[in-house]
Amino acid sequence: MTPVAQARVDLGALRHNLARARVEAPRARVMAIIKADAYGHGMVRVARALHDADAFGVARLEEALSLREAGVTQPIVLLEGVLDAAQLSAAAHRDVSLVVHHAAQAELIEHAAENMPPVKIWLKLDSGMHRLGFSPAEIPPIAQRLRHSKKVIGPLRFMTHLACADERSDPATLRQIEVFQSALTGIEGERSIANSAGILGWPQTHADWVRPGIMLYGVSPFPDDDAEAQDLRPVMTLSSRLIALRQNKKGDAIGYGGSYICPRDMLVGVAAIGYGDGYPRHAQTGTPVLVNGRRAPLIGRVSMDMITVDLSAQPEAKAGDPVVLWGEGLAVEEVARCASTISYELLCGVARRVTFNES
Ligand SMILES: *Cc1c(COP(=O)(O)O)cnc(C)c1O
């Protein structure tokens, strides 16, 4: 029995995309970002496929612990750090490196129990995103304190995050680089600035470590530039099948709210995918899908389990035929634009009902 709605994860494409990050930033080490279940692709599967990454980055402690549970031995960096002593202890015992972005986290570490193993630390500087991190003035004293703590092991490392790097001409990125570099003048330690957009668009952000996320999954971080232009290969292909076809009459209203009125007699296909699978409910009429490998426009509202598609151009289509929602042959970026969202959200949102397999 073949499941109807499937997400195929192409591990060869994933590895190709990691290699792309290395080619772009040849002197940097790579922290592969696999938070949010590896952007919806399956965190453990992705970590195993990317075994030659120099480290993995995750957002939450639970993610780091399940990687250790699965036998992942590479360095793991907890990008949001820890919130209390219990989290700190769990991270320390599993050799999870911590980002420290707030004074309370430094205090937790300094006051940790005697028997807790020491932790490795990335200090986060706020260079202009104003979300997480210490201000430039706070960095020297906090670095000094942590260097002297018995609960910290290894050299301190330093990172910051870019807010606008996907806009290639936005001067905010240059300002962020300048703030980061001048705050760290005279302070020793490895540095990391670049996300995917930094890697592909801002070579001056490469530093000692790069942190690719979305590009690993074959998606361009730039709104004006597709993945193919960056030689990135799509990793996830979301597909389903046609379950019904009907010849509708001019004037027929289709689906919930009757929002789509057939402008002529037309063949309409029903595909088994909907917002219950993570297909975006706000995908508008005209959003492309591939039926038998050929583009056909979505029409009417997306339901929980189904969508309707204009098959006027494919009179030979029949129930059971394959439908691709995004991936191979149809960029998720394009679907995201048609649904007024970003590819990150679509990839992260694929529901558990969908059967994942890998190739
Ligand atoms: C998510 C994240 C990244 C990866 O960003 P992409 O835009 O997906 O490349 C890098 N660094 C940090 C701190 C992040 O949270």
Side-chain angles (χ1 to χ4, degrees), residues 33 35 39 79 124 159 161 195-196 211-214 344:
I33 304 298
K35 63 195 181 193
Y39 293 46
L79 296 170
K124 183 158 190 172
M159 66 180 285
H161 195 44
N195 54 4
S196 299
R211 308 190 308 270
I214 196 75
Y344 296 74

Side-chain angles (χ1 to χ4, degrees), residues 31-35 39 57-59 79-80 99 124 131-132 159-162 166 192-199 210-217 219 221 344:
M31 183 193 303
I33 304 298
I34 58 173
K35 63 195 181 193
Y39 293 46
V58 295
L79 296 170
E80 292 177 3
V99 167
K124 183 158 190 172
R131 192 179 59 176
L132 295 183
M159 66 180 285
T160 194
H161 195 44
L162 299 173
D166 56 332
S192 177
I193 307 173
N195 54 4
S196 299
I199 294 166
V210 293
R211 308 190 308 270
I214 196 75
M215 70 176 286
L216 294 176
Y217 309 101
V219 176
Y344 296 74

Side-chain angles (χ1 to χ4, degrees), residues 99-103 105 123-127 130-136 138-139 159-160:
V99 167
V100 171
H101 56 76
H102 191 278
Q105 294 178 318
L123 260 187
K124 183 158 190 172
L125 187 137
D126 171 22
S127 59
H130 300 136
R131 192 179 59 176
L132 295 183
F134 293 96
S135 70
E138 291 171 313
I139 286 285
M159 66 180 285
T160 194

